Amino acid sequence: MAAQDRTVLVTGAGTGIGLATLIELARRGFSPVGGVRTPSKARSVIRAARAAHVKVRTVTLDVTDARQWKAVIDELKPFGLVNNAGVPASGAIEDVTDEVARLAMETMVLGPIRLARLAIPHMRERRTGRIVNISSVYGLMTTPLTGWYQAAKHALEALSDALRVEVASDGIAVALIEPGAFRSNIWEGAGKTSSGASTPGTSPLTSASRQASRPASA
């Protein structure tokens, strides 16, 4: 496989699953490029890669910026795409604003599928490619206080399943990853709209379960 054919773009690469994926790809001989939102995140990624004794590249862009990402995809022509960028969008349904809801859908549904759509022609040209969409156990279930996050993940699941069949004959594989609860920076700073809101850095799956298990007040 040529060097360009080993390029893998990972969005949301600043921390957590995205950063771990970026470093593991480098260890396995791929040429990973991490998409991050700020220069400080890019520097943090480079430091983490150096500590792991691997080399990675970064690109500072917002996953919702369609025009800039087209230029990046056309330049990289990636063999692989890992869509990991996400936002919490937590809170009771009645408390989440249209702005927050739109950001959730743009970041976790429209953004990933847009990137896939941009990358597919390059993958089809070489008759091989991989698209990995990071979903969640929340793409398979629903609990209170994270309804918009779950809505985005359910949508990503449906679109990924359809896309998998549509591009299979071109040698392009589409995979879904559905992690359960784990410590992640995505929930830091999420709005606390009820007494059952998550603690910083912890998936609200745990908090919602605890809330549900509490006895009702007399």
Side-chain angles (χ1 to χ4, degrees):
M1 187 181 289
Q4 187 181 54
D5 291 343
R6 298 188 70 83
T7 298
V8 180
L9 175 62
V10 182
T11 68
T15 59
I17 289 176
L19 180 57
T21 299
L22 197 70
I23 290 174
E24 185 62 25
L25 284 166
R27 285 175 175 156
R28 292 175 180 248
F30 289 89
S31 177
V33 180
V36 293
R37 295 188 65 179
T38 65
S40 63
K41 283 287 188 183
R43 291 190 293 271
S44 178
V45 168
I46 296 300
R47 285 195 298 270
R50 287 173 180 165
H53 307 290
V54 296
K55 292 183 179 181
V56 304
R57 290 179 287 165
T58 62
V59 57
T60 306
L61 286 174
D62 188 331
V63 72
T64 65
D65 191 327
R67 182 177 300 178
Q68 286 187 304
W69 274 115
K70 183 180 188 310
V72 169
I73 292 290
D74 287 345
E75 178 182 350
L76 294 177
K77 298 178 175 60
F79 159 76
L81 170 64
V82 180
N83 284 308
N84 177 66
V87 294
S90 60
I93 298 299
E94 64 181 301
D95 294 329
V96 176
T97 65
D98 287 354
E99 181 182 8
V100 171
R102 287 192 186 100
L103 179 62
M105 300 305 281
E106 178 68 36
T107 303
M108 296 184 285
V109 183
L110 296 175
I113 299 305
R114 180 187 300 118
L115 289 175
R117 188 172 67 244
L118 292 170
I120 284 170
H122 301 296
M123 296 177 180
R124 181 178 288 124
E125 185 176 351
R126 65 171 65 95
R127 299 294 298 173
T128 186
R130 300 290 184 271
I131 298 170
V132 179
N133 290 329
I134 307 299
S135 181
S136 167
V137 66
Y138 276 159
L140 305 172
M141 60 182 289
T142 304
T143 61
L145 306 179
T146 48
W148 276 105
Y149 181 85
Q150 294 159 11
K153 293 303 185 181
H154 275 74
L156 183 63
E157 295 261 340
L159 289 163
S160 298
D161 287 342
L163 181 63
R164 181 183 301 115
V165 178
E166 293 169 1
V167 298
S169 63
D170 296 313
I172 303 169
V174 178
L176 275 165
I177 307 296
E178 297 158 336
F182 65 97
R183 190 163 294 277
S184 169
N185 289 344
I186 189 175
W187 303 106
E188 290 184 359
K192 290 178 171 54
T193 56
S194 75
S195 60
S198 61
T199 56
T202 304
S203 166
L205 176 62
T206 304
S207 298
S209 298
R210 288 174 180 165
Q211 183 77 4
S213 65
R214 291 173 183 165
S217 300

